Amino acid sequence: MLLPSLNMVAALFTVFLYSQAEASITLSSTRVIFEGNKKEASVTVRNLSSDEILVQSWLDNDNPGKTSASIPFAVTPPLAHMAAQSRQILRVLFKGTGVPTDKESVFWLNVQEIPKAAEGENILQLAVRQRIKFFYRPSGLSGTAKTATEAVTLAIESRGLIIKNPTAYHVTLTDIQVKGSTYTSAPIRNFMLAPGETKHLNVPGISSTSSLTLTAGSIDDFGAKNVYSTSLGSTPSHLKPLKP
């Protein structure tokens, strides 16, 4: 009798884990914006499966030194029973203080699916968690989130790029690429610029002596990617939207 190889066992185990970890829930958005002039923000969870589940929800800020108790927002309900093919609205409430009033703050909303206990022995079950960005946007900020990307400046400095976000909003850039007549950079996938942040990117082979154009996507409040472009040099330039 031939015994299965270690590679075969590992492959079968990976397939098993994938099938068990496939999420049954979906969220109504890829990010949540809490406007400062509103009393709450919400997101809808849908259970697409034919089984009932528990859904646990909480906020964190990716800072291991801070507990959820130090975050001035609460998710309700924090634990919800969901029937098969049902929906649940999660509401996020603000405690009133604890975040800056002159710029956006960002947290992570975690929604974890806890499957119903399976019958039988030796059955592995995994709790699948989804995480989306949660932004608190105080009222009265100058400018708008929609135009924040166009306020970002980019310039060639040394052998890289210096990118500045002078606004009070978070700006998420993705698929950044620099091209010239004889030069094409490797794409830089994505990163987020916090309000007032300056970021230095190492871009091998880039030079301010040649004519270069940068293109980048920017993620808006609805999770859509809008494409921008600018000419690059040693003098800071602004991103401009590319028309479809």
Side-chain angles (χ1 to χ4, degrees):
M1 179 178 178
L2 294 176
L3 295 176
S5 67
L6 289 177
N7 287 339
M8 183 181 296
V9 171
L12 290 173
F13 185 66
T14 300
V15 171
F16 172 74
L17 283 180
Y18 178 80
S19 64
Q20 293 295 313
E22 187 175 357
S24 299
I25 61 172
T26 63
L27 305 181
S28 58
S29 60
T30 59
R31 55 193 55 215
V32 178
I33 312 295
F34 193 130
E35 300 285 356
N37 59 351
K38 305 292 184 181
K39 293 183 178 180
E40 63 181 59
S42 64
V43 62
T44 300
V45 184
R46 290 179 172 84
N47 177 15
L48 304 179
S49 75
S50 56
D51 297 317
E52 59 183 18
I53 59 172
L54 284 176
V55 170
Q56 184 180 14
S57 307
W58 71 96
L59 284 160
D60 66 45
N61 59 2
D62 261 357
N63 187 340
K66 288 197 173 185
T67 65
S68 57
S70 64
I71 295 176
F73 298 90
V75 184
T76 182
L79 188 66
H81 173 269
M82 295 186 66
Q85 302 292 323
S86 65
R87 296 188 302 172
Q88 172 69 53
I89 296 178
L90 300 178
R91 299 163 60 217
V92 184
L93 307 177
F94 180 38
K95 296 179 181 179
T97 59
V99 290
T101 58
D102 60 345
K103 61 182 179 180
E104 275 188 343
S105 298
V106 64
F107 302 90
W108 288 90
L109 174 63
N110 301 267
V111 182
Q112 182 167 282
E113 169 195 344
I114 305 173
K116 181 181 177 181
E119 298 179 358
E121 298 180 356
N122 301 323
I123 295 178
L124 176 64
Q125 288 185 296
L126 300 177
V128 180
R129 180 176 61 164
Q130 297 190 41
R131 302 183 82 216
I132 61 174
K133 290 175 182 175
F134 171 86
F135 297 93
Y136 177 73
R137 183 173 296 160
S139 57
L141 296 181
S142 60
T144 66
K146 186 176 181 179
T147 59
T149 301
E150 297 176 48
V152 170
T153 61
L154 304 97
I156 297 174
E157 184 180 85
S158 184
R159 284 179 287 183
L161 286 175
I162 180 168
I163 306 176
K164 296 183 179 182
N165 175 17
T167 75
Y169 303 88
H170 289 82
V171 176
T172 298
L173 298 178
T174 182
D175 299 321
I176 298 172
Q177 193 161 42
V178 179
K179 291 185 178 182
S181 58
T182 59
Y183 174 80
T184 299
S185 72
I188 300 170
R189 291 305 174 195
N190 64 79
F191 60 86
M192 184 172 66
L193 288 165
E197 182 180 5
T198 296
K199 191 173 187 66
H200 298 264
L201 295 181
N202 180 35
V203 184
I206 195 171
S207 170
S208 60
T209 59
S210 57
S211 178
L212 298 172
T213 299
L214 178 144
T215 57
S218 179
I219 309 301
D220 64 21
D221 283 354
F222 304 99
K225 184 175 81 170
N226 302 292
V227 182
Y228 293 78
S229 177
T230 186
S231 298
L232 279 180
S234 57
T235 302
S237 60
H238 293 273
L239 290 168
K240 297 180 181 179
L242 285 179
K243 296 181 179 179

